[in-house]
């Protein structure tokens, strides 16, 4: 053997002729690493050196070719067993002749290395190679301590051949080859072996050979024992358990804990810690009985196990919204804690159709009867294992008869939600607008789940947006947040980080019914907006330089004030020549840009704040004070004091903007356009602007400037919004083209789709409104755009063309005749069961058009429905729904 354990070649030349030839030739030819010396080739003949070699698995051997009489080394092609370059089975050989043996020999251990001269393929030469098994290597064994008696040993390492055996001292164990790197073996340790025992692995023939040894420790009988308390325990989700281990027979009381033999646990079964504490997972595991084990550190063979039974928690209710409901179909939102998937809301003891929103929120639909008028107990029951029912809160069923017409209910829901549902229409008719608004103002805000570690792009954020819009109860807050999103634009073409966009849209949702000053400050400080408009890492300028002015300009022009000074009714202030007076000058932009210096990305966990933190979106932007321009400035005619901190100066300049007279009418007009009508009168704008200034509208609002509840109520309850509730008061120029995102969700809500949020984004993109994907800071469409050949403003018509109009119809066709996505399908049962085609169309007229369908459209739809199928009500219903939804009378919200 050589130093590597290779078997040295023993090549014998028999006969006197060979001996003489060697004697005469002397030391000529090549010698391989474990091969033979090659005689000098005759002139014109090719030879390979070495002519034979014996190798072990994964060994290498250099081969060379020579031609007798040639002055240079000939170019050759190498092959193994006729395969050029070899392969994994027989080994590989490089162009330079370096051969690498396979890890384990092939069925035949004899191989042939062949060289073929490139210039003359008739010239070939070969070498014979014999392969043996590799030398096994042992790296670890487990367990390291083996008690006297039967045991199972796991051996890890490398180069374990088929038929390899584990040797324990002088005994060969019954061995199972798991892989080339792992063996398991069973045996029995005797009292005579107490102490260290050598463990080796022996590879079989060809070339049988053993590894170096690793020591195992055989231990004698131990007096150590372990017990735990409690031996068996039960816990609901959300609670924790503590187990105590007691070790006897040794002073070493230390133990290690494991759960289901899986270390400290996993997200699906929960976790145990180093001191015996157990925390359940987020949902009941299956199976729900787990094993917790304490193992003695002094003697790892001594251990004891107990059981943990995990149950669903007992739910707790904190609120039911709305607290007052009318007779007929309704939807409740229940908040509390301890809710799980499978929880059921009970209404007067009857289980409702319930949707799990989160561990603190459920929504449920049902029907209240006349007999239930008065207080009805609402409870939540969690499912098995461990089914329990919460305490009760009361909802009041009102049976005063309709206080609002169906058409009025549909219209206000179109303006204040992502679309009416039959249950909402019924409830609004029964309980009135005030109860509806109070319920919306108190509804729990929709949330966006924190992105997972592997999330990339905005797909999950966009899906969560649509899931919330279709299913959740805080519809007015979400519509306000969506409108603000189109005003305070951030687009995924530059901000594609899911954490950044989650924090941005969460701020808009949180502040949508809060205060506009909070909108201004919270969005300004999101890293998403900072990155989008370059406020992040905006450096204090040097002498003769300017700070970045991008955010400063867009904040004033697009988000708050507009280019021109405004009268209280939103009309432009003009000079003596009729030219609009600018709101601000370039000096104001430059000053505001300097005020916005010094902000950087949040600091990543474990890092230190620097002047330019690396890009990260997990929180608000942070100030780096030395990078802030704290000199005195004049902004919009007002002084900005010197010496302010980065945060103080931000508050100073935002307050100047917040108190500017342009802000109320600028914001009021754009929100009216997004919710109610593209052409509000100046008087309508002024009334809403006054509610913004006062922070109060009737009984709504806090009385603080910028209160968004007051603004929302003023928009929705204004006489211009409510004219048209009675068709005799409708004005032809009122209303707006449904923007694609709102139209998509409205269709799903109108026909009872329970959605996982998938499918909508792609359809919206086809209609030029892929939510959160605006191409620029100017939104998908501008707030002012005249409809061609008219004097009417129609912002949404900026993205309405031949292609997008067809995309709208294609969306409706897919939604009605197939599905929006696998997770979103319409339920047309109510239309199918409505009765005759006349009754189907009448239902759709009320539900979708609040009774305004023209006679000509109605007759056209009835003609199509009556000819669609002689008897099939499903076909008739689908035809009717498709034609109503794709009609211009539905596409324009009035």
């Amino acid at each position: 053997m050589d130093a590597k354990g290779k078997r040295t070649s023993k090549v014998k030349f028999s006969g006197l002729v060979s001996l003489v030839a060697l004697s005469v030739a002397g030391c000529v030819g090549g010698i391989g690493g474990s091969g033979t010396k090659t005689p000098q080739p005759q002139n014109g003949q090719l030879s390979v050196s070495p002519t034979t070699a014996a190798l072990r698995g994964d060994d290498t051997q250099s081969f060379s070719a020579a031609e007798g009489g040639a002055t240079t080394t000939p170019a050759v092609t190498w092959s193994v067993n006729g395969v050029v370059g070899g392969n994994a089975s027989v080994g590989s050989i490089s162009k330079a002749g370096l051969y690498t043996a396979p890890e384990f020999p092939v069925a035949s251990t004899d191989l042939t290395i062949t060289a073929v001269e490139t210039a003359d393929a008739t010239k070939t030469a070969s070498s014979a190679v014999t392969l043996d098994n590799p030398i096994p290597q042992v790296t670890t064994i487990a367990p390291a301590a083996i008690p006297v008696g039967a045991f199972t040993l796991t051996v890890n390492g490398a180069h374990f051949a088929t038929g390899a055996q584990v040797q324990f001292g002088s005994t060969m164990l019954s061995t199972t080859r798991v892989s080339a790197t792992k063996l398991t073996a069973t045996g029995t340790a005797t009292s005579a072996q107490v102490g260290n025992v050598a463990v080796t692995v022996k590879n079989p023939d060809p070339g049988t050979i053993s590894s170096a040894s690793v020591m195992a420790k055989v231990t004698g009988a131990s007096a150590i024992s372990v017990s735990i308390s409690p031996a068996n325990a039960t816990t609901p989700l959300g609670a924790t358990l503590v187990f105590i281990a007691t070790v006897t027979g040794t002073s070493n009381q230390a133990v290690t804990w494991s759960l289901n033999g899986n270390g400290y646990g996993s997200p699906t079964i929960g976790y145990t810690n180093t001191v015996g504490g157990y925390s359940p997972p987020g949902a009941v595991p299956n199976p729900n009985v787990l094993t917790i084990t304490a193992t003695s550190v002094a003697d790892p063979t001594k251990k004891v196990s107990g059981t943990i039974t995990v149950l669903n928690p007992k739910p707790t209710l904190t609120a039911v919204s709305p607290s007052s409901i009318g007779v007929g179909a309704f939807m409740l939102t229940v908040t509390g804690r301890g809710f799980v998937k499978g929880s059921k809301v009970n209404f007067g003891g009857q289980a409702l159709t319930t949707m799990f929103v989160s561990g603190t929120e459920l929504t449920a639909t049902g029907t209240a009867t006349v007999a239930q008028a008065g207080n009805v107990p609402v409870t939540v029951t969690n499912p098995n294992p461990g089914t329990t029912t919460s305490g009760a809160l009361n909802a009041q069923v009102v049976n005063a008869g309709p206080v609002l017409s169906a058409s009025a209910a549909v219209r206000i829901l179109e303006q204040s939600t992502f679309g009416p549902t039959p249950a909402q229409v019924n409830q609004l008719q029964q309980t009135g607008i005030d109860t509806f608004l109070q319920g919306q103002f108190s509804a729990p805000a929709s949330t966006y789940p924190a992105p997972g570690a592997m999330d990339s792009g905005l797909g999950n954020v966009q899906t969560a947006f649509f899931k919330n819009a279709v299913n959740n109860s805080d519809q007015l807050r979400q519509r306000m947040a969506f409108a603000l999103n189109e005003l305070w634009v951030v687009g995924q073409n530059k901000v594609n980080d899911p954490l950044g966009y989650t924090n941005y849209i969460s701020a808009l949702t949180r502040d949508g019914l809060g205060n506009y000053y909070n909108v201004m400050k919270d969005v300004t400080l999101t890293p998403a907006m900072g990155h989008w408009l370059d406020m992040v890492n905006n450096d204090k300028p040097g002498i003769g330089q300017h700070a970045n002015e991008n955010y400063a300009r867009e904040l004033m022009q697009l988000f708050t004030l507009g280019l021109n000074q405004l009268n209280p009714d939103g009309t432009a202030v003009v000079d003596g020549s009729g030219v609009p007076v600018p709101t601000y000058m370039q000096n104001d932009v430059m000053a505001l840009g300097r005020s916005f210096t010094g902000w950087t990305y949040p600091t990543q966990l474990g890092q230190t704040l620097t002047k330019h933190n690396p890009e990260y979106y997990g929180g608000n932007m942070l100030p780096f004070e030395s990078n802030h321009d704290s000199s005195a400035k004049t902004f919009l005619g007002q002084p900005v004091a010197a010496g302010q901190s980065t945060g103080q100066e931000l508050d100073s300049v935002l307050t100047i903007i917040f108190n500017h007279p342009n802000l109320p009418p600028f914001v009021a007009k754009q929100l009216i356009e997004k919710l109610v009508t593209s052409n509000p009168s100046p008087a309508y704008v002024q009334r809403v602007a006054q509610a913004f200034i006062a922070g109060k509208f009737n009984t709504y609002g806090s009385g603080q400037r910028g209160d968004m509840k007051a603004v929302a109520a003023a928009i929705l309850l204004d006489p211009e919004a409510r004219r048209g509730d009675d068709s005799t008061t409708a004005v032809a120029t009122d209303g707006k083209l449904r923007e694609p995102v709102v139209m998509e969700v409205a269709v799903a809500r109108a026909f009872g789709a329970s959605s996982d949020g998938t499918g909508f984004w792609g359809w919206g993109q086809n209609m030029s409104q892929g939510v959160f994907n605006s191409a620029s800071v100017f939104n998908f469409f501008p707030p002012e755009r005249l409809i061609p050949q008219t004097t009417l403003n129609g912002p949404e018509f900026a993205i309405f063309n031949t292609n997008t109009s067809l995309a709208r119809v294609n969306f409706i066709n897919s939604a009605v005749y197939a599905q929006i996505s696998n997770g979103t399908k319409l339920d047309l049962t109510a239309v199918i069961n409505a009765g005759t085609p006349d009754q189907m169309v009448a239902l759709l007229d009320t539900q979708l058009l609040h009774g305004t369908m023209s006679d000509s459209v109605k007759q056209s739809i009835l003609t199509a429905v009556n000819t669609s199928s002689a008897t099939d009500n499903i076909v008739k219903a689908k035809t009717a729904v498709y034609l109503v939804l794709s009609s211009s009378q539905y596409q324009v919200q009035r």
Side-chain angles (χ1 to χ4, degrees):
M1 294 285 177
D2 62 11
K4 295 183 179 180
K6 295 180 181 178
R7 191 169 60 191
T8 304
S9 298
K10 297 179 179 180
V11 182
K12 298 178 180 180
F13 292 90
S14 61
L16 180 60
V17 175
S18 297
L19 291 173
V20 173
L22 284 174
S23 174
V24 172
C27 296
V28 293
I31 298 177
S34 59
T36 65
K37 182 176 178 181
T38 303
Q40 184 72 18
Q42 298 297 315
N43 286 342
Q45 291 183 342
L46 190 68
S47 67
V48 171
S49 176
T51 57
T52 63
L55 305 174
R56 290 195 177 275
D58 279 348
D59 278 352
T60 59
Q61 171 70 53
S62 291
F63 290 89
S64 61
E67 182 181 331
T71 59
T72 60
T73 301
V76 297
T77 299
W78 293 97
S79 63
V80 184
N81 277 15
V83 179
V84 175
N87 56 33
S89 176
V90 298
S92 61
I93 189 165
S94 70
K95 293 180 180 179
L98 180 63
Y99 172 70
T100 302
E103 184 176 12
F104 302 107
V106 292
S108 171
T109 58
D110 296 324
L111 305 174
T112 301
I113 305 293
T114 302
V116 178
E117 190 169 325
T118 305
D120 184 355
T122 65
K123 295 179 180 181
T124 66
S126 299
S127 176
V129 175
T130 300
L131 296 182
D132 290 336
N133 273 318
I135 304 171
Q137 298 172 6
V138 178
T139 54
T140 62
I141 59 174
I146 300 171
V148 171
F151 65 86
T152 298
L153 196 63
T154 298
V155 179
N156 297 304
H159 304 314
F160 300 155
T162 300
Q165 284 187 289
V166 177
Q167 185 166 331
F168 186 74
S170 60
T171 305
M172 286 293 182
L173 303 183
S174 176
T175 305
T176 299
R177 182 180 186 265
V178 179
S179 68
T181 60
K182 183 176 181 180
L183 304 173
T184 60
T186 58
T188 302
T190 66
S191 298
Q193 291 176 306
V194 171
N196 291 329
V197 176
V199 176
T200 59
V201 171
K202 183 178 182 180
N203 275 348
D205 279 327
T208 180
I209 191 168
S210 295
S211 69
S213 62
V214 173
M215 291 300 178
K217 183 179 180 180
V218 175
T219 59
S222 172
I224 295 174
S225 65
V226 185
S227 63
I228 62 171
S229 177
N232 303 288
T234 298
T235 185
L237 295 177
T240 58
L241 288 173
V242 176
F243 290 83
I244 297 174
T246 302
V247 183
T248 59
T250 177
S251 60
N252 186 353
Q253 293 291 300
V255 297
T256 57
W257 294 91
S258 64
L259 195 62
N260 275 15
N262 187 26
Y264 286 114
S266 70
T268 58
I269 62 174
Y271 293 94
T272 183
N273 58 25
T274 57
V275 293
Y278 169 72
S279 300
V284 174
N286 184 19
N288 69 313
V289 179
L290 311 174
T291 300
I292 186 169
T293 302
T295 301
S296 169
V297 171
D299 182 356
T301 67
K302 303 299 181 181
K303 61 185 69 177
V304 67
S305 296
T307 63
I308 302 171
T309 302
V310 183
L311 304 177
N312 280 315
K314 181 175 182 178
T316 301
L317 298 190
T318 56
V320 175
S321 177
S323 58
S324 180
I325 61 176
V327 171
F330 64 84
M331 184 175 80
L332 288 179
T333 298
V334 174
T335 54
R337 61 181 182 274
F339 304 152
V340 299
K341 290 182 178 179
S343 293
K344 287 289 185 182
V345 176
N346 310 300
F347 185 76
Q350 179 183 4
L352 303 181
T353 301
T354 305
M355 186 180 79
F356 175 80
V357 178
S358 69
T360 60
E361 182 179 349
L362 303 171
T363 61
T365 56
T367 302
T369 65
V370 173
Q372 290 176 307
N375 288 330
V376 177
V378 176
T379 60
V380 171
T381 299
N382 276 351
N384 274 318
T387 180
T388 51
T389 299
S390 70
L393 292 177
N394 284 332
Q396 185 180 39
V397 175
V398 177
N399 185 29
V403 297
L404 200 66
S405 69
S407 63
V410 169
R411 285 192 76 250
I412 194 168
L413 288 171
E414 286 182 328
Q415 296 164 352
S416 60
T417 74
F418 274 101
T421 67
Q424 278 189 310
V425 171
N426 173 70
Q427 289 304 307
L428 191 51
Q429 283 189 263
Q430 300 287 320
T431 60
I433 294 176
D434 181 68
T435 298
F436 166 73
L437 287 179
Q438 295 294 354
Q440 287 296 300
F441 291 154
S442 63
S446 290
T447 58
Y448 287 79
M454 302 305 292
D455 277 4
S456 62
L458 301 189
N460 289 341
V461 187
Q462 290 155 332
T463 296
F465 168 84
F466 283 109
K467 182 179 180 181
N468 290 344
V470 174
N471 299 309
N472 288 9
S473 62
D474 61 328
Q475 287 287 304
L476 178 56
R477 180 186 297 276
Q478 289 191 71
R479 275 301 300 272
M480 293 289 281
F482 181 59
L484 293 170
N485 162 254
E486 296 183 288
L487 184 60
W488 294 77
V489 176
V490 171
Q492 76 177 100
N493 61 347
K494 186 174 179 181
V495 181
N496 200 33
D497 184 281
L499 180 58
Y501 227 99
T502 294
N503 290 340
Y504 157 75
I505 192 62
S506 294
L508 291 178
T509 304
R510 182 175 61 250
D511 297 336
L513 289 176
N515 190 283
Y516 201 77
Y517 183 85
N518 294 337
V519 174
M520 294 169 59
K521 183 171 183 179
D522 289 349
V523 176
T524 295
L525 288 180
T526 60
M529 181 60 80
H531 184 78
W532 173 247
L533 289 177
D534 308 318
M535 179 176 155
V536 70
N537 294 333
N538 183 19
D539 291 342
K540 175 174 66 176
I543 297 174
Q545 296 179 328
H546 298 288
N548 188 293
E549 299 165 3
N550 201 13
Y551 184 63
R553 180 176 289 103
E554 307 303 1
L555 173 66
M556 291 190 289
Q557 176 184 341
L558 300 177
F559 305 163
T560 56
L561 304 178
L563 289 171
N564 302 313
Q565 292 183 28
L566 300 176
N567 292 306
D569 63 3
T571 57
V573 174
V574 296
D575 61 17
S577 301
V579 177
V581 179
T583 306
Y584 54 87
M585 307 302 288
Q586 177 59 24
N587 285 341
D588 294 309
V589 176
M590 294 169 62
L592 187 57
R594 290 162 53 209
S595 292
F596 285 157
T597 56
W599 295 95
T600 188
Y601 290 104
T603 305
Q604 296 183 35
L605 187 65
Q607 301 301 309
T608 303
L609 176 67
T610 63
K611 176 182 176 181
H612 286 174
N613 273 347
E615 186 174 338
Y616 176 59
Y617 295 89
N620 284 341
M621 292 192 295
L622 295 177
F624 192 86
E625 296 299 340
S626 64
N627 197 32
H628 170 60
D629 182 345
S630 59
S631 61
K633 307 167 187 72
T634 299
F635 173 58
L636 294 177
Q638 299 193 43
V640 178
Q644 296 186 81
S645 70
T646 311
Q648 289 170 338
E649 189 157 335
L650 176 70
D651 285 333
S652 295
V653 295
L654 290 183
T655 298
I656 292 172
I657 295 172
F658 184 65
N659 290 320
H660 193 281
N662 264 32
L663 184 67
F666 180 86
V667 173
K669 185 175 183 182
Q670 295 211 46
L671 292 180
I672 292 170
E673 289 182 5
K674 294 292 189 295
L675 299 178
V676 176
T677 179
S678 298
N679 294 276
S681 70
Y684 186 3
V685 173
Q686 185 166 357
R687 289 191 292 268
V688 176
Q690 182 55 43
F692 185 106
I693 295 167
K696 197 80 174 175
F697 181 79
N698 296 341
T699 60
Y700 304 102
S702 63
Q704 295 183 337
R705 180 185 178 94
D707 188 292
M708 298 297 283
K709 292 185 179 72
V711 171
I715 292 172
L716 296 171
L717 299 179
D718 191 87
E720 282 190 38
R722 302 280 46 87
R723 71 187 183 195
D725 287 355
D726 180 343
S727 60
T728 61
T729 64
V731 174
T733 55
D734 284 348
K736 60 194 292 292
L737 178 66
R738 296 181 196 267
E739 53 188 298
V741 166
V742 178
M743 186 271 292
E744 289 179 273
V745 180
V747 168
R749 287 175 57 80
F751 296 102
S754 177
S755 175
D756 61 2
T758 58
F760 292 96
W761 188 88
W763 286 110
Q765 184 77 352
N766 291 342
M767 293 179 253
S768 294
Q769 196 181 26
V771 71
F772 304 156
N773 192 32
S774 175
S776 76
V777 73
F778 295 97
N779 187 29
F780 298 99
F781 46 83
E784 304 295 328
R785 178 185 172 87
L786 288 182
I787 302 173
Q789 301 177 5
T790 75
T791 58
L792 293 176
N793 186 39
E796 297 83 2
F797 281 95
I799 57 172
F800 187 82
N801 53 45
T802 301
N803 290 334
T804 59
S805 63
L806 289 174
R808 285 178 182 246
V809 174
N810 287 338
F811 165 76
I812 293 166
N813 181 76
S814 183
V816 173
Y817 288 102
Q819 59 189 22
I820 294 173
S821 72
N822 287 334
T824 309
K825 301 178 180 67
L826 304 188
D827 181 358
L828 304 182
T829 303
V831 185
I832 294 168
N833 294 338
T836 66
D838 282 348
Q839 291 168 318
M840 290 180 183
V841 173
L843 173 66
L844 294 173
D845 184 17
T846 299
Q847 181 174 314
L848 300 177
L849 298 176
H850 43 83
T852 62
M853 187 182 296
S854 66
D855 290 340
S856 60
V857 168
K858 186 177 299 183
Q859 188 55 54
S860 296
I861 292 174
L862 282 172
T863 299
V865 171
N866 284 321
T867 58
S868 62
S869 174
T871 59
D872 193 336
N873 266 11
I874 295 177
V875 174
K876 292 179 183 294
K878 288 183 176 182
T879 303
V881 173
Y882 169 78
L883 291 173
V884 173
L885 290 177
S886 58
S887 71
S888 60
Q889 293 189 4
Y890 177 76
Q891 291 295 315
V892 174
Q893 171 192 312
R894 296 185 183 278

